Amino acid sequence: MIPTEEVSARRREIEYKLKQEELTLSFIKDSLEKSDQLTKNMVAILSSFESRLMKLENSIIPVYKQTENLQRLQENVEKTLSCLDHVISYYHVAKDTEKIIKEGPTGRLEEYLNCMDKIQKAVEYFQDNNPDSPELNRVKSLFERGKESLESEFRSLMTRHTKPVPPILILDLISGDDDMEPQEEMFLEHLPEGVLHDIIRISGWLVENGRNQDFMTVYFQIRSVQLDRSIKGLKDHFRKNSSSTGVPYSPAIQNKRKDTPTKKPLKRPVLIPGHEHDLRVKHLSDALSDKHGPAAGRDDVFDIEIDAYIHCVSAFVKLAQSEYQLLTDIVPEHHQKKTFDSLIQESLDNLIMEGDNIVSAARKAIIRHDYSAVLTIFPILKHLKQMKPEFDQVLQGTAAGTKNKLPGLITSMETTGAKALEEFADNIKNDPDKEYNMPKDGTVHELTSNAILFLQQLLDFQETAGAMLASQVLGDTYNIPLDPRETSSSASSYSSEFSRRLLSTYICKVLGNLQLNLLSKSKVYEDPALSAIFLHNNYNYILKSLEKSELIQLVAVTQKTAERSYRELIEQQIQTYQRSWLKVTDYILERNLPVFQPGVKLKDKERQMIKERFKGFNDGLEELCKIQKAWAIPDVEQRDKIRRAQKTIVKETYGAFLNRYGNVPFTKNPEKYIKYQVDQVGEMIEKLFDTSA
């Protein structure tokens, strides 16, 4: 049971809290009453404000609408005035711009173009709104006059500032890609920057507003002349400054790489003996119309013309590239290819025509059997093939006829070169055997030296020569199997390995023809020994020449045993020559002598036999030494070898004979028959093949 005091305390506590809650409730009621009062007051204020706003709006809206109408009227008036001013201005255009149009655009191009724009707009206005107005004819006339002035200014600027590119600068441009250190690419400034800007502005205006393409014709005509003059200037530069030992390169170019077109003097001409022509025919000077003074040697003329042509080809490519870059800024894109095609035609035609002249001259020289002419084609053809990718890139987008000009020239040169190679091989085989044309001393024949020289010169143009042969599908002629991949491609794209095989087979054919001809020529000699010396000298010269150059490696492509075969031929001729001494040594061989008993007196017949042997040997030795002393073996090593071998054979045989019969009393005058001691015989043989001994 809870105590009474605790209950009382609890009650008091509850009563206290209840009293507090009642106070709080009373405060809340008062606050709500105040809030209601405030709300009522605010609603009254807002209602009053709304009422006033409605009254204000009803008053303002009519004023606003009226003001808006007034503003619209004002704008219409201003627009009308502006339009009137604009229309009136068209009637003043002719008067305002006539003076400037008459004076022309020189020195005031931007102002002039602005006037032309105003005139054009006036023309368009009158055409659209008042086509019968006399003012239309006036502005149209002024516009045409202004357009003509712009075209005239375009022509004037192009004419006055278009200059040929100096030859030294062209040479720098040609050699810059290969010879200079890596640096910023060279560009030609054909026109001053300010002039170029004016030309671009005029051309742009004429295309956009003048609707006239005549200026493009003016452009390509002027630039075409400049391009042609630049290339001709380079050619004249070569003719004036070139010599037989160098090429007038720009001082800016210090070193030239191998693949840069360089001046390479041609070796002496290859002329088949038996044809009565000068060693140097006029085949290039006939084809080229330019005259050279008598002081310039023909070799120099040939070299300069070839060098000049090769450099002109490179110059054309570089200058054409530069012309196209310039053209892209001046001529609209859809006219660029056609304009460029027209621009390069004259220079390209001259270049191709000059190449055709060289080919034509070479053909005439080939008819005269001057096969040195083909050597003028080789460096040119090699360079044309090297330049063909750049040519194709430059001529991309031009007409088919333009693109086909270079391939046509290349094909013509390949055909002519292949014909020259084939005819050269045939003439080697068929060169006539004439006694007056044979070397009296049995030395190397001119035919051999010329043939070898010609083949050695082919080494510098192996791929070119191989392509020449391949272009004529000469694989069938030489019975060389064609690779399927090669037969499916054009003649100019034969693999280098196939071309090398063709060239190797061709060289072997020439050497075979040469060998047959030499055998035939050797029969002109009545003395078999001299015939053997002649063949020995020629075979040895051929072998040594093959070994000294890369010809032996090229021959070995199709004939592995060529070197061994020539050594065997040389040895055979040495043996044939040595047989000429048998008529001397046969007199003193023991097998041809009777046996004499020591101490037995010789019979008259035996003494006479010994005398005849000594006399026959002496006479034969003297005769051979006298004859063979005038013969020649140019190769010192071979000459010493043949002398040494012959000296050994004769000395041994004569020494044995002399030891056996030198002390035999076969005569009262031994010095009459024993004219030479063994060493003297050796000395006489040592003087063979030496006219100065």
Side-chain angles (χ1 to χ4, degrees):
M1 194 168 176
I2 303 173
T4 306
E5 295 82 1
E6 187 176 345
V7 172
S8 298
R10 184 76 176 264
R11 182 180 297 166
R12 284 193 299 275
E13 182 181 352
I14 292 171
E15 289 176 352
Y16 176 75
K17 288 182 179 181
L18 182 60
K19 187 177 181 179
Q20 290 294 326
E21 291 295 332
E22 288 176 350
L23 290 173
T24 300
L25 180 59
S26 177
F27 176 75
I28 291 172
K29 287 181 178 179
D30 292 340
S31 296
L32 286 173
E33 289 176 356
K34 291 179 181 179
S35 178
D36 289 341
Q37 186 61 41
L38 288 173
T39 300
K40 290 177 181 179
N41 294 337
M42 182 59 68
V43 168
I45 292 171
L46 289 174
S47 298
S48 175
F49 184 71
E50 182 180 6
S51 175
R52 292 178 181 179
L53 281 177
M54 290 179 67
K55 291 180 181 180
L56 180 62
E57 183 178 353
N58 292 332
S59 301
I60 290 298
I61 286 178
V63 175
Y64 174 78
K65 289 181 178 181
Q66 187 177 5
T67 304
E68 185 179 9
N69 291 333
L70 291 174
Q71 288 178 340
R72 188 177 297 112
L73 290 174
Q74 183 180 1
E75 289 175 359
N76 291 337
V77 170
E78 290 176 353
K79 287 180 180 180
T80 302
L81 291 174
S82 176
C83 288
L84 286 173
D85 291 339
H86 185 67
V87 170
I88 292 171
S89 69
Y90 288 134
Y91 287 87
H92 293 95
V93 164
K95 179 181 178 181
D96 294 341
T97 60
E98 187 173 11
K99 180 180 178 182
I100 296 175
I101 297 303
K102 285 183 178 180
E103 291 175 353
T106 304
R108 55 200 297 180
L109 180 61
E110 291 300 328
E111 182 182 2
Y112 192 91
L113 292 178
N114 289 333
C115 289
M116 289 298 294
D117 289 339
K118 292 179 181 178
I119 296 171
Q120 185 180 20
K121 290 177 181 178
V123 171
E124 292 172 353
Y125 169 80
F126 288 118
Q127 285 178 337
D128 294 339
N129 298 281
N130 193 3
D132 298 328
S133 172
E135 196 68 25
L136 174 60
N137 294 330
R138 186 180 179 188
V139 291
K140 283 181 70 174
S141 174
L142 196 59
F143 181 79
E144 291 300 323
R145 185 193 303 176
K147 189 168 67 172
E148 290 175 0
S149 296
L150 282 174
E151 292 172 351
S152 176
E153 178 70 6
F154 182 88
R155 181 188 292 274
S156 176
L157 289 174
M158 290 294 301
T159 303
R160 281 189 286 115
H161 297 282
T162 294
K163 306 294 181 184
V165 182
I168 294 297
L169 192 58
I170 296 176
L171 290 172
D172 287 348
L173 189 66
I174 294 173
S175 305
D177 295 339
D178 298 328
D179 303 330
M180 293 183 173
E181 296 295 326
Q183 59 179 0
E184 189 173 330
E185 186 179 354
M186 285 186 62
F187 287 101
L188 290 177
E189 187 182 67
H190 293 284
L191 299 168
E193 186 176 353
V195 173
L196 178 60
H197 176 267
D198 288 350
I199 289 174
I200 293 173
R201 287 285 288 124
I202 294 173
S203 66
W205 190 92
L206 290 173
V207 170
E208 184 176 351
N209 303 301
R211 293 170 177 79
N212 191 337
Q213 300 177 6
D214 292 344
F215 79 94
M216 299 180 200
T217 302
V218 172
Y219 176 83
F220 84 69
Q221 288 175 343
I222 294 174
R223 295 305 302 175
S224 177
V225 171
Q226 178 272 340
L227 177 61
D228 191 53
R229 288 174 61 192
S230 297
I231 295 176
K232 287 180 178 177
L234 177 63
K235 188 188 300 181
D236 293 340
H237 180 73
F238 269 85
R239 290 171 179 168
K240 291 178 182 177
N241 299 286
S242 291
S243 67
S244 60
T245 56
V247 175
Y249 276 87
S250 162
I253 309 303
Q254 299 296 328
N255 299 305
K256 297 187 286 292
R257 292 193 331 196
K258 292 191 297 182
D259 53 353
T260 302
T262 58
K263 179 174 176 55
K264 184 170 184 178
L266 294 176
K267 302 176 184 176
R268 65 188 179 93
V270 179
L271 186 69
I272 298 297
H275 300 283
E276 297 179 356
H277 299 288
D278 294 336
L279 289 180
R280 279 289 190 183
V281 295
K282 300 186 296 178
H283 68 276
L284 256 178
S285 56
D286 288 343
L288 303 170
S289 59
D290 302 284
K291 302 294 183 183
H292 297 275
R298 285 206 182 143
D299 288 358
D300 294 340
V301 174
F302 279 159
D303 297 346
I304 293 170
E305 291 296 345
I306 293 169
D307 260 332
Y309 186 74
I310 286 175
H311 281 77
C312 285
V313 171
S314 298
F316 172 80
V317 172
K318 294 296 182 182
L319 292 176
Q321 290 173 341
S322 182
E323 286 293 341
Y324 190 76
Q325 291 175 352
L326 176 66
L327 176 144
T328 55
D329 293 330
I330 299 173
V331 178
E333 184 176 359
H334 54 287
H335 291 288
Q336 289 174 3
K337 295 295 184 182
K338 183 178 179 181
T339 304
F340 180 69
D341 195 345
S342 302
L343 189 155
I344 63 172
Q345 279 303 313
E346 183 177 359
S347 298
L348 181 59
D349 287 344
N350 288 339
L351 208 60
I352 297 300
M353 183 176 65
E354 189 173 346
D356 288 336
N357 288 340
I358 293 173
V359 172
S360 177
R363 287 172 180 161
K364 294 177 183 177
I366 290 168
I367 294 173
R368 294 190 292 263
H369 302 284
D370 178 16
Y371 296 100
S372 62
V374 77
L375 299 177
T376 65
I377 294 178
F378 273 107
I380 295 174
L381 178 58
K382 180 179 180 180
H383 188 65
L384 288 179
K385 286 192 168 186
Q386 289 175 342
M387 294 300 296
K388 188 176 181 301
E390 290 189 57
F391 251 97
D392 293 341
Q393 184 178 4
V394 170
L395 302 182
Q396 187 177 8
T398 57
T402 303
K403 294 178 182 177
N404 293 334
K405 288 181 179 180
L406 181 68
L409 179 59
I410 290 175
T411 300
S412 178
M413 285 191 172
E414 285 183 337
T415 303
T416 303
K419 181 180 179 183
L421 292 175
E422 283 303 291
E423 289 196 10
F424 176 77
D426 292 339
N427 275 273
I428 290 291
K429 182 178 180 180
N430 301 321
D431 186 65
D433 305 330
K434 296 182 180 179
E435 187 175 352
Y436 72 84
N437 201 32
M438 295 295 291
K440 304 298 183 184
D441 57 1
T443 190
V444 178
H445 198 280
E446 185 182 5
L447 176 69
T448 303
S449 60
N450 282 343
I452 294 299
L453 175 61
F454 185 84
L455 296 179
Q456 286 175 337
Q457 289 172 329
L458 292 183
L459 289 174
D460 294 331
F461 308 99
Q462 293 184 37
E463 290 187 9
T464 306
M468 279 183 177
L469 298 170
S471 68
Q472 302 305 305
V473 197
L474 295 178
D476 294 339
T477 303
Y478 297 135
N479 295 319
I480 294 181
L482 302 179
D483 188 288
R485 291 169 297 177
E486 292 164 350
T487 55
S488 63
S489 60
S490 63
S492 61
S493 62
Y494 275 90
S495 69
S496 58
E497 182 58 31
F498 175 70
S499 297
R500 185 174 172 83
R501 292 203 309 273
L502 269 180
L503 185 58
S504 173
T505 306
Y506 171 77
I507 292 174
C508 291
K509 178 182 178 180
V510 172
L511 294 176
N513 290 350
L514 178 60
Q515 184 177 338
L516 290 174
N517 195 289
L518 290 173
L519 281 170
S520 178
K521 281 179 167 36
S522 67
K523 296 175 183 177
V524 172
Y525 295 112
E526 296 178 358
D527 190 338
L530 181 55
S531 177
I533 290 297
F534 171 76
L535 290 175
H536 166 273
N537 284 332
N538 282 273
Y539 292 154
N540 184 68
Y541 178 82
I542 293 171
L543 178 60
K544 294 294 184 183
S545 299
L546 293 179
E547 290 177 335
K548 287 179 181 178
S549 64
E550 296 178 14
L551 280 173
I552 193 67
Q553 290 91 344
L554 199 55
V555 170
V557 172
T558 53
Q559 285 199 10
K560 306 292 185 184
T561 62
E563 185 175 357
R564 185 181 68 190
S565 298
Y566 274 110
R567 294 193 187 281
E568 291 174 354
L569 289 171
I570 292 169
E571 194 59 37
Q572 289 174 10
Q573 300 311 315
I574 292 176
Q575 292 173 6
T576 302
Y577 163 76
Q578 289 175 343
R579 284 197 287 272
S580 69
W581 283 83
L582 291 178
K583 62 182 181 181
V584 176
T585 57
D586 276 352
Y587 283 106
I588 55 178
L589 288 175
E590 289 188 13
R591 68 173 181 271
N592 297 329
L593 293 172
V595 178
F596 299 103
Q597 297 295 329
V600 178
K601 186 178 180 181
L602 296 175
K603 299 177 182 179
D604 292 342
K605 183 179 180 180
E606 292 173 340
R607 286 197 297 272
Q608 186 62 33
M609 182 181 292
I610 295 174
K611 290 178 183 179
E612 290 175 355
R613 300 292 174 155
F614 270 107
K615 185 177 185 304
F617 173 79
N618 293 336
D619 292 345
L621 177 65
E622 290 170 357
E623 181 184 3
L624 280 184
C625 287
K626 180 181 178 181
I627 293 173
Q628 295 184 8
K629 183 178 180 181
W631 296 355
I633 299 180
D635 190 314
V636 177
E637 183 181 346
Q638 286 292 313
R639 183 169 65 232
D640 292 343
K641 175 184 175 182
I642 292 174
R643 283 174 178 171
R644 191 163 51 248
Q646 201 58 49
K647 187 165 59 175
T648 300
I649 294 171
V650 177
K651 283 179 67 175
E652 288 180 357
T653 307
Y654 182 65
F657 180 77
L658 192 60
N659 287 336
R660 185 166 184 178
Y661 298 103
N663 297 321
V664 175
F666 65 92
T667 179
K668 294 180 181 180
N669 299 310
E671 65 278 358
K672 179 180 178 181
Y673 298 97
I674 307 176
K675 295 174 67 174
Y676 304 105
Q677 295 300 317
V678 175
D679 290 341
Q680 289 177 311
V681 172
E683 290 173 0
M684 292 175 70
I685 295 175
E686 193 66 35
K687 295 177 182 179
L688 296 178
F689 318 117
D690 187 359
T691 56
S692 64

